[in-house]
Amino acid sequence: MINRIFYHTVCFALTLLSLNAYGQIKSINGKNISKSSMNSFLLAQMDSLKLPGLSIAFIDNGKIIYHNELGFADIENKTKVDSNTIFEAASMSKTTFAYFVLKLVDKGILTLDTPLYKYLPNKDIAYDERYKLITARMVLSHTTGLPNWREWDLADSSLHIKKGDLYLKFTPGTHFSYSGEAYQYLVNVVAHLLHKTQKELDAVFYKEVCKPLNMKHAYYWWNNYISKYRATGYKQKDSDGVNVKNELKKFEEFGAAGTLRTNAIDYANFMIGLINGQGLSKKSLAEMFKQQSKVPDWDDADFWGLGINMKKTDYGTRYMHSGNNGDFTAYFMMYKDKKKGFVFMTNCNRAGDLFDKLEPFYSNGK
């Protein structure tokens, strides 16, 4: 019954796709992608991957030319994804936060290279003097040496670090190591410098980033809008196509590393702001897209900028970020010089599989 409902819902949404498309989709190599081809592609992928719901948008020439909301926000209640539905952007939260930090740099509130302990000491890592080397630049380029999350990215046993304690993997600034913990340290620094609580910081983010970039709904902190319009998160075990409902995560914190709730349209507007250089000084924009750190052994990235990764391709430099909160996953990619790209969010753990199909289809036009 659920599969039949799912199929008819997707077909109905795809029928309406032409109402949501603003122009012709062009692949990265310049070929036209017809609406019918994109319809067929999305329908086939959602059916194959058993995606519950999807929010997706494409950008060309710095404008949203195509978007849609497909499938179910909640399977059990048969609630369809629509333009109000909110998804978890997961780690794509880092890119919007990096932009926010750079706006504060432009305002003179902090600098990229001042050690963060001078603004606010971190008592959890104060036992290791090396932490005093950590700067905002290192946080945003993942070179602090802090673990991703202390609870499960545990220290080597030879270091004799108590399970769950914060620690350094290496001297800050010497290597790449992806870290959500580092972002949360920077959140605390920013809140301290602005004399705000983390909850109040969300309102500052909305004023400084969302309103200027036409992001109608994008929030780090739980609120009534999210409660009303959030999608339900699902997880497929062993890619068996069975969507298992996960417990609600409210994220009552400003989680720069992963708690942003939004949809593809609003995130695409943020990407357009990046593409057009809106809201940042030329210096800060250049720093964001500069190769700040070398990424070892990642298929999707060669280098990391500030809050964004990059990879050389046959079509130029591809900038992107992905997100994975377990039951919500997401991707965005863009070619800044070409003013092109896409973003999508889904309420299950199969975004990586969709990206692997969508990226070559969008790049080559077939």
Side-chain angles (χ1 to χ4, degrees):
M1 183 66 175
I2 290 294
N3 286 339
R4 199 162 64 243
I5 293 171
F6 173 81
Y7 177 81
H8 289 304
T9 300
V10 172
C11 287
F12 175 72
L14 287 168
T15 301
L16 296 179
L17 189 57
S18 60
L19 299 178
N20 293 333
Y22 298 145
Q24 176 69 58
I25 305 171
K26 283 188 176 292
S27 67
I28 300 300
N29 66 5
K31 295 180 181 179
N32 289 337
I33 302 177
S34 70
K35 295 174 186 177
S36 60
S37 293
M38 184 57 71
N39 290 357
S40 298
F41 174 85
L42 291 174
L43 178 58
Q45 297 309 317
M46 289 195 74
D47 180 62
S48 174
L49 300 174
K50 299 298 184 291
L51 298 182
L54 181 71
S55 179
I56 188 166
F58 289 82
I59 297 166
D60 201 313
N61 197 28
K63 297 179 181 179
I64 296 173
I65 55 155
Y66 180 106
H67 71 85
N68 209 0
E69 297 81 33
L70 309 173
F72 285 115
D74 188 284
I75 296 172
E76 290 76 14
N77 293 321
K78 304 174 186 176
T79 305
K80 298 174 184 177
V81 178
D82 61 26
S83 60
N84 293 314
T85 305
I86 293 291
F87 292 78
E88 293 175 17
S91 285
M92 289 180 358
S93 307
K94 294 179 175 73
T95 311
T96 47
F97 180 69
Y99 178 93
F100 178 41
V101 170
L102 288 170
K103 287 206 74 170
L104 299 180
V105 169
D106 284 342
K107 290 175 180 287
I109 293 171
L110 75 163
T111 77
L112 287 174
D113 297 311
T114 299
L116 294 186
Y117 86 95
K118 292 187 176 181
Y119 298 125
L120 181 70
N122 188 332
K123 61 181 179 60
D124 290 347
I125 193 68
Y127 69 89
D128 191 330
E129 284 287 311
R130 294 179 299 169
Y131 103 92
K132 291 184 176 180
L133 297 170
I134 294 174
T135 65
R137 185 188 302 275
M138 293 178 194
V139 171
L140 301 179
S141 61
H142 294 294
T143 57
T144 64
L146 291 170
N148 191 7
W149 297 110
R150 69 185 82 180
E151 294 86 359
W152 57 268
D153 186 6
L154 303 178
D156 188 290
S157 59
S158 65
L159 297 177
H160 304 293
I161 302 294
K162 183 180 177 182
K163 183 177 180 180
D165 282 357
L166 194 57
Y167 68 96
L168 288 173
K169 295 182 174 183
F170 49 77
T171 300
T174 60
H175 300 287
F176 175 90
S177 184
Y178 192 84
S179 177
E181 290 280 359
Y183 267 73
Q184 291 313 116
Y185 180 22
L186 187 52
V187 167
N188 292 333
V189 169
V190 168
H192 173 74
L193 291 174
L194 294 177
H195 307 289
K196 301 292 183 182
T197 65
Q198 283 197 19
K199 186 174 183 179
E200 291 169 337
L201 192 61
D202 200 30
V204 180
F205 166 78
Y206 195 90
K207 176 184 176 182
E208 294 290 336
V209 178
C210 299
K211 290 191 73 174
L213 299 184
N214 196 28
M215 299 175 74
K216 189 175 180 181
H217 296 292
Y219 317 102
Y220 284 94
W221 197 279
W222 181 265
N223 59 33
N224 290 335
Y225 188 89
I226 297 171
S227 179
K228 183 175 181 180
Y229 293 110
R230 66 177 181 84
T232 298
Y234 297 89
K235 192 168 185 179
Q236 296 177 19
K237 297 180 180 179
D238 301 320
S239 301
D240 58 5
V242 177
N243 288 296
V244 179
K245 186 175 183 177
N246 273 24
E247 292 184 6
L248 168 65
K249 306 185 297 292
K250 280 193 172 182
F251 293 133
E252 291 182 297
E253 60 179 317
F254 190 105
T259 70
L260 186 71
R261 271 66 62 98
T262 188
N263 59 32
I265 288 289
D266 287 324
Y267 206 95
N269 282 330
F270 167 69
M271 292 167 61
I272 290 168
L274 292 183
I275 287 170
N276 293 333
Q278 184 178 344
L280 293 180
S281 67
K282 290 183 178 179
K283 180 179 179 181
S284 287
L285 192 69
E287 290 287 0
M288 188 170 190
F289 291 98
K290 176 183 174 182
Q291 295 178 5
Q292 302 281 348
S293 56
K294 179 77 170 65
V295 181
D297 304 323
W298 280 36
D299 291 336
D300 289 338
D302 296 327
F303 297 93
W304 218 275
L306 299 181
I308 197 167
N309 69 56
M310 59 198 75
K311 185 177 182 65
K312 295 294 184 182
T313 77
D314 292 340
Y315 307 110
T317 301
R318 182 190 71 188
Y319 299 94
M320 65 174 289
H321 211 298
S322 61
N324 185 349
N325 278 355
D327 52 351
F328 285 87
T329 48
Y331 273 80
F332 83 82
M333 60 164 265
M334 65 183 189
Y335 287 82
K336 188 173 180 293
D337 293 341
K338 297 178 181 293
K339 296 189 174 185
K340 299 170 67 68
F342 67 74
V343 56
F344 69 85
M345 302 176 185
T346 185
N347 53 335
C348 81
N349 57 320
R350 301 297 301 278
D353 298 296
L354 177 57
F355 179 82
D356 288 343
K357 299 289 186 178
L358 180 58
E359 196 274 339
F361 178 75
Y362 176 59
S363 295
N364 301 318
K366 60 181 180 180

